[in-house]
Amino acid sequence: MDYKDTLELPSTEFPMRGNLAQNEPKTYNKWKQDLVYSKMLENRQGCEEFNLHDGPPYANGHLHIGHSLNKILKDFIVKYHYFNGKKVYYTPGWDCHGLPIEQKVEEKIGKGKKETLPKVKIRELCREWATNFVKIQGDEFQSLGVVGDFDKPYKTMEFAFEADIYKALCEIAKNGLLLERSKPVFWSWAAKSALAEAEVEYQDKEDYSIFVAFELKKDSVDKLNISGIDSIKAVFWTTTPWTLPANQAIALNPNEMYVITKEGYILAKELLSSMVDKGITKGEILCEYKGSHFENLVATNPLNNRDSRLILGEHVLMSGGSGLVHSAPGHGEDDYYVCLKYDIPVIMPVDDGGLYDNTLKTQGLLKEDIVDEFIGMHIFKANERILELLGDNLLHSSKFVHSYPFCWRTHKPVIYRATKQWFILMDKPFFEGKTLREIALSELDKTRFYPEHGKNRIYSMIENRPDWCISRQRDWGVPIAFFNDKESGEPVLDKEVLDYVADIFYKDGCDAWWEREIVELLPESWKHKAQTLEKSKHILDVWFDSGSTWKAVLQSGNYNSGNYPASMYLEGSDQHRGWFQSSLLISCAINHKAPFKNIVTHGFTMDEHGEKMSKSKGNVIAPQEILKEHGSEILRLWVAMSDYQNDQRISKNILKQVGENYRKIRNTIRFLLANTNGLDELYYEFSEIDLWILESAKKCFDSIHALLGEYEFAKAIQELTYFLNAELSGIYLDICKDNLYCNAIDSKERLASQSVMALIASRLFALLAPILTYTIDEALGYTKSKALLQLCNGGDSVFDIIYSPMPSFATPSHNFESLLEFRSLFLEQIDILKKDSKIKSTLEVDLLALNNTFKELHLWLMVSNVTNSSNEEILGTFSSGGMDYKIVKASGKKCPRCWQYLSKEEDKPCPRCDEVLSKKCK
């Protein structure tokens, strides 16, 4: 008789291999067709709400692996809250304005051609580019298994959206926090635009380190009244020789001591020894004074013979240099503020592209015989020539490498350049006596950060940041659509005018600012003033666009995106200086509160060696390549297994390891499905071993659920993997095989094991649903157990699941920690016996154990019998808990059906199998 046909072998059509790359797209397309996101909203009507407000990526190219990390993490969190019974909102969005898109259009049409096109045409091309990539990226995000309102995403270039961005600007202006002024700002000569701090990154740059002497004018020398010396020179240090033509002053610290040396040099006393080391002075002191003694003395700039005034500023430090600071108020923030106190004017001889302009000549910033050679020269190329012109006034020159600001778009070094720009004021009291800085900091104290140290980072940035420069000099963006009075230069901030322009933007978009004449943009009561007005030519910093998305998305009523403030913002850690900060400042400036309750940040993606990915290194892995080879579930599991709060490593080898982990999870699911097949109702008469695994599962699942609630995905997956491999598959499921395959189909032991598996599978599905959504959806489609489907909320779709904690059952009466240790000691001896080829299976042995009280010990060890006496050969011994145990040859005969050595005769079924067969025959 072929006994195999009499066994209740596992059965499921859930395939061992997922063929994810081929099968996922079909399911994801079905989700789109079935309007799954809309159904998710319907499924949770009246439930507690959670909304994640999307930080908009630029619509300027295909997705990279960083995009995948970001969107998959968002999907995990949104789905975690959904599968825990909340009504969730996730509206994906795109940043459609800004330099990155404009640069792509420039590359496409050629920079030379761009200069000849009208602004409206350039904007049309930018809009086309962004529209194309919104569609491309939207499809690519959904191919990652991301679910959201992709049918109605937000796009910052939509007309109503542009109007809302502009209205946010107007509200800030009405609150008195907007000011136009000439001030040095970070300037990208490569992009020809002002930059905000968030658009600046720091890289190493080689520069000159020079010490320059400006001689004091005779009347200033006379005021010092020092006998025996005719010439006195103020010695300062600078790393920007190209700014020397625009020098207006030399700053000293009023509280520090300064000396005049025998050479006639004014130097800080504290730095004198370093000046001696450089060979600038021998260090012999004629006299010393406090810095305040030199105030308002005048030196002469040798490059142009213009006056350079000695002024006082506490920004002058003794950490390096000479203790005197070259001050060009058009080229530095500290210089600007200190010169402002002395009514020293700002001079700016550098144009938008970083070239010296005609100001050199009109202001007499270089001598007449050489000025023409500098006009049109790039400032960085002028350094060497300026050093030559300094002659003997150049006391020391060397080169050094230091951290320097670069434009993060063009990757070119930036400069400080004074231009007329619009600023949001950080320190002007405007609401209940509080400043924007104070309100923003107060709101950060109310925000929960993941990780917690993220708060310290953004907090210190807000504490120390200057006023926010929000104007840019580009083509593609929302205009700072203010009119200026031609005569006074003052902006028109009349409510009627601002509202009229906003209404035009709602209907026709902000291109109208360039397409229409001034008279067409004014309300009837203002049309007569059209000739006295001119348009502002600035556009808004694109961070203002994205920073006001909370208003345009969460408050406009144009999107079904949940409430303001949002439950969560989630982006890369670089957004502490970017989107988190701009959103916070705009929200606090208008509504006096943060637009978010929680902030989650993630790190960046690196290759397996921890190096930044770049095409030149050949270490870039595109998401689409991963999907073609592995499928999105592997990429999603990589995200879940990674410590996302720090930088992530990814490579083909790493993905291969993730694939192995996925296969283990999938095979566990397959085993559970195969062995719960046909279970219609749960059976609760559990064995001790059943109770042990149920207790272990509850502890594990409760812990994992808590970890997921703290967004600790890697720790959750690690804990789950251990439970599945070490306890569930490694012990329990292995133990259950005899029960499941050999016992009668309706035996209480078998029904209990099936019920345990259904209980565990249902919670496993719910816990994994946010992460491996496709796999759990696929598994439910192959579920043939009514009981398991009922535990999964009765549906055959993953989106029907609602997580509920594993119920508590009776505590096992035996100490399973001791039993686990006992099992480990037993298996050590079994391994030795197998290596020595004495046995092939634990079923070939009995355990000789006196006073055994655990009736399921034979199942626990998977031996044929546990007995207190035996005449069979002793194969091994071990001790546990102060007692000795013997492993002996099994005393019975091998059952041809279950293979346990419990038969009384050769080739005859054991009593248990005989009884089962008898029932089958009936």
Side-chain angles (χ1 to χ4, degrees), residues 151-221:
D151 288 336
K152 189 170 174 48
Y154 76 79
K155 293 169 277 188
T156 58
M157 65 181 178
E158 290 174 333
F159 292 172
F161 211 108
E162 289 177 334
D164 279 327
I165 293 168
Y166 176 65
K167 289 192 84 169
L169 176 71
C170 294
E171 287 185 50
I172 293 172
K174 291 169 191 173
N175 286 342
L177 292 180
L178 207 58
L179 181 67
E180 188 181 29
R181 65 175 181 230
S182 183
K183 176 182 177 291
V185 292
F186 282 124
W187 185 270
S188 172
W189 49 267
K192 295 187 176 181
S193 179
L195 300 179
E197 274 196 297
E199 297 171 301
V200 172
E201 60 186 14
Y202 286 82
Q203 300 177 25
D204 285 346
K205 180 177 182 287
E206 185 180 65
D207 272 320
Y208 281 99
S209 169
I210 64 171
F211 290 85
V212 181
F214 278 13
E215 188 169 4
L216 264 60
K217 299 185 84 167
K218 186 177 184 308
D219 58 344
S220 291
V221 174

Side-chain angles (χ1 to χ4, degrees), residues 177 430 436 439-440 443 550 564 583-595:
L177 292 180
F430 76 105
L436 178 55
I439 293 170
E443 287 300 297
W550 55 265
Y564 164 89
S583 300
L584 174 68
L585 294 180
I586 294 172
S587 183
C588 288
I590 296 173
N591 294 330
H592 323 119
K593 65 180 178 180

Side-chain angles (χ1 to χ4, degrees), residues 690-855:
D690 292 337
L691 291 172
W692 162 72
I693 197 65
L694 287 168
E695 184 178 65
S696 295
K698 179 168 177 57
K699 285 180 184 175
C700 175
F701 291 169
D702 286 352
S703 175
I704 289 167
H705 187 253
L707 288 169
L708 293 174
E710 291 293 312
Y711 316 123
E712 295 278 8
F713 302 110
K715 290 179 182 177
I717 291 293
Q718 186 177 12
E719 195 163 327
L720 180 63
T721 301
Y722 176 81
F723 170 73
L724 295 181
N725 294 340
E727 295 182 326
L728 185 64
S729 298
I731 300 177
Y732 182 75
L733 298 183
D734 207 22
I735 287 172
C736 285
K737 287 175 183 175
D738 176 75
N739 175 17
L740 292 165
Y741 305 167
C742 301
N743 279 336
I745 195 168
D746 59 350
S747 75
K748 64 180 183 180
E749 294 88 357
R750 189 174 189 277
L751 289 171
S753 289
Q754 284 187 299
S755 299
V756 167
M757 290 183 195
L759 286 162
I760 288 174
S762 64
R763 272 63 186 191
L764 178 64
F765 288 1
L767 290 170
L768 284 174
I771 296 167
L772 301 178
T773 317
Y774 164 82
T775 301
I776 303 307
D777 192 56
E778 182 190 11
L780 283 169
Y782 288 102
T783 300
K784 304 300 181 187
S785 163
K786 291 180 183 177
L788 177 51
L789 287 173
Q790 196 60 42
L791 287 168
C792 293
N793 210 35
D796 58 359
S797 163
V798 66
F799 298 104
D800 294 323
I801 289 175
I802 297 180
Y803 177 81
S804 62
M806 177 75 92
S808 296
F809 297 97
T811 303
S813 56
H814 286 79
N815 183 340
F816 270 83
E817 283 190 21
S818 298
L819 285 168
L820 284 166
E821 186 180 345
F822 183 89
R823 189 173 187 274
S824 179
L825 293 168
F826 168 76
L827 290 175
E828 284 178 16
Q829 296 303 309
I830 292 296
D831 285 342
I832 294 169
L833 294 174
K834 285 181 178 179
K835 284 176 185 174
D836 293 342
S837 300
K838 291 184 178 180
I839 64 169
K840 292 180 180 178
S841 163
T842 54
L843 294 176
E844 296 175 37
V845 304
D846 291 343
L847 181 71
L848 185 55
L850 301 174
N851 303 318
N852 172 45
T853 60
F854 183 35
K855 292 181 180 179

Side-chain angles (χ1 to χ4, degrees), residues 143-414:
S143 73
L144 300 172
V146 175
V147 175
D149 196 0
F150 283 93
D151 288 336
K152 189 170 174 48
Y154 76 79
K155 293 169 277 188
T156 58
M157 65 181 178
E158 290 174 333
F159 292 172
F161 211 108
E162 289 177 334
D164 279 327
I165 293 168
Y166 176 65
K167 289 192 84 169
L169 176 71
C170 294
E171 287 185 50
I172 293 172
K174 291 169 191 173
N175 286 342
L177 292 180
L178 207 58
L179 181 67
E180 188 181 29
R181 65 175 181 230
S182 183
K183 176 182 177 291
V185 292
F186 282 124
W187 185 270
S188 172
W189 49 267
K192 295 187 176 181
S193 179
L195 300 179
E197 274 196 297
E199 297 171 301
V200 172
E201 60 186 14
Y202 286 82
Q203 300 177 25
D204 285 346
K205 180 177 182 287
E206 185 180 65
D207 272 320
Y208 281 99
S209 169
I210 64 171
F211 290 85
V212 181
F214 278 13
E215 188 169 4
L216 264 60
K217 299 185 84 167
K218 186 177 184 308
D219 58 344
S220 291
V221 174
D222 292 343
K223 285 178 185 176
L224 289 172
N225 193 25
I226 303 169
S227 59
I229 190 164
D230 297 322
S231 174
I232 297 176
K233 296 181 178 180
V235 178
F236 57 81
W237 176 67
T238 185
T239 61
T240 54
W242 61 268
T243 64
L244 289 174
N247 171 276
Q248 292 281 76
I250 300 168
L252 301 84
N253 190 307
N255 304 313
E256 296 289 341
M257 294 303 297
Y258 289 79
V259 301
I260 298 176
T261 67
K262 271 196 174 180
E263 298 90 351
Y265 296 153
I266 303 172
L267 301 164
K269 186 176 182 181
E270 190 173 325
L271 296 166
L272 185 60
S273 61
S274 67
M275 298 296 96
V276 173
D277 293 342
K278 286 183 169 59
I280 290 172
T281 175
K282 292 180 180 177
E284 297 177 53
I285 299 172
L286 285 181
C287 53
E288 56 184 81
Y289 303 100
K290 261 197 168 183
S292 55
H293 187 74
F294 297 93
E295 186 176 23
N296 289 322
L297 299 183
V298 179
T300 301
N301 185 338
L303 295 175
N304 51 31
N305 294 325
R306 287 169 57 92
D307 288 351
S308 181
R309 190 167 163 193
L310 273 60
I311 60 177
L312 306 177
E314 294 189 6
H315 68 286
V316 180
L317 305 177
M318 298 297 118
S319 53
S322 65
L324 293 85
V325 174
H326 150 60
S327 300
H331 290 300
E333 192 163 30
D334 287 333
D335 299 7
Y336 170 79
Y337 282 117
V338 72
C339 288
L340 195 64
K341 293 178 184 176
Y342 288 88
D343 291 324
I344 295 172
V346 173
I347 295 175
M348 177 44 56
V350 181
D351 72 9
D352 292 358
L355 309 179
Y356 285 121
D357 64 19
N358 209 48
T359 307
L360 289 178
K361 185 176 283 189
T362 59
Q363 294 286 334
L365 302 185
L366 286 170
K367 293 175 181 175
E368 286 186 15
D369 57 334
I370 52 139
V371 67
D372 287 337
E373 71 176 271
F374 283 87
I375 295 173
M377 180 187 292
H378 195 281
I379 50 174
F380 290 159
K381 291 182 180 177
N383 282 329
E384 287 78 7
R385 182 70 175 114
I386 285 174
L387 297 188
E388 287 177 26
L389 295 172
L390 286 170
D392 293 341
N393 296 288
L394 179 62
L395 303 183
H396 185 273
S397 175
S398 61
K399 283 191 173 182
F400 76 121
V401 175
H402 64 144
S403 180
Y404 189 88
F406 278 67
C407 171
W408 78 340
R409 298 292 174 213
T410 64
H411 306 294
K412 300 290 186 184
V414 304

